Amino acid sequence: QVQLMESGGGSVKAGGSLRISCVLSGYTFGVNCVGWFRQAPGEEREAVARIYYGSPYVFDSVKGRFTISQDNAKSTVYLQMDSLKPEDTAMYYCAADNTCRTVAAGTPKYWGQGTQVTVSS
């Protein structure tokens, strides 16, 4: 079993930055694709970024403002969020699987509990 634990969320003013983290633990052998998703109240879940063997992919809605990275020694994936906007307010979840196919489809096997990000104007 694989566990994911997010941290680092909080409240920030528009234009500010936050870095959220996702620590993977348990039997993580073969779990090579990690993604960040977000969901605002009343909205559908949205993919934000994913990383596969160190190769990042950031979706257009946040490209140029968000950066995904990983520290294998710490089994941690980070999402650096800059130039935050009120519309970035959401619960942010990390998720992982052995393949990016499921992560890209929004159906990865493992999910964290989420960390709240709130951006005020």
Side-chain angles (χ1 to χ4, degrees):
Q1 192 62 289
V2 176
Q3 294 81 43
L4 289 79
M5 177 69 73
E6 303 95 334
S7 64
S11 297
V12 65
K13 290 196 172 183
S17 298
L18 274 177
R19 187 179 77 163
I20 55 179
S21 303
C22 173
V23 178
L24 285 75
S25 61
Y27 190 73
T28 60
F29 179 78
V31 177
N32 300 310
C33 190
V34 181
W36 283 101
F37 297 80
R38 65 185 182 185
Q39 188 166 22
E43 302 286 334
E44 290 196 357
R45 188 173 59 209
E46 175 189 19
V48 175
R50 62 177 181 261
I51 191 162
Y52 179 66
Y53 281 113
S55 179
Y57 180 83
V58 179
F59 284 79
D60 287 346
S61 60
V62 299
K63 191 169 288 185
R65 300 189 298 120
F66 290 14
T67 305
I68 187 170
S69 62
Q70 67 184 129
D71 183 336
N72 289 328
K74 297 182 179 179
S75 298
T76 302
V77 173
Y78 302 100
L79 186 68
Q80 176 68 41
M81 304 181 290
D82 299 318
S83 301
L84 282 161
K85 305 175 181 180
E87 51 263 44
D88 294 318
T89 295
M91 184 71 79
Y92 283 71
Y93 300 90
C94 70
D97 208 331
N98 300 58
T99 170
C100 274
R101 193 179 313 162
T102 54
V103 176
T107 58
K109 193 179 304 180
Y110 308 108
W111 288 87
Q113 295 297 309
T115 186
Q116 178 68 38
V117 172
T118 302
V119 185
S120 59
S121 56

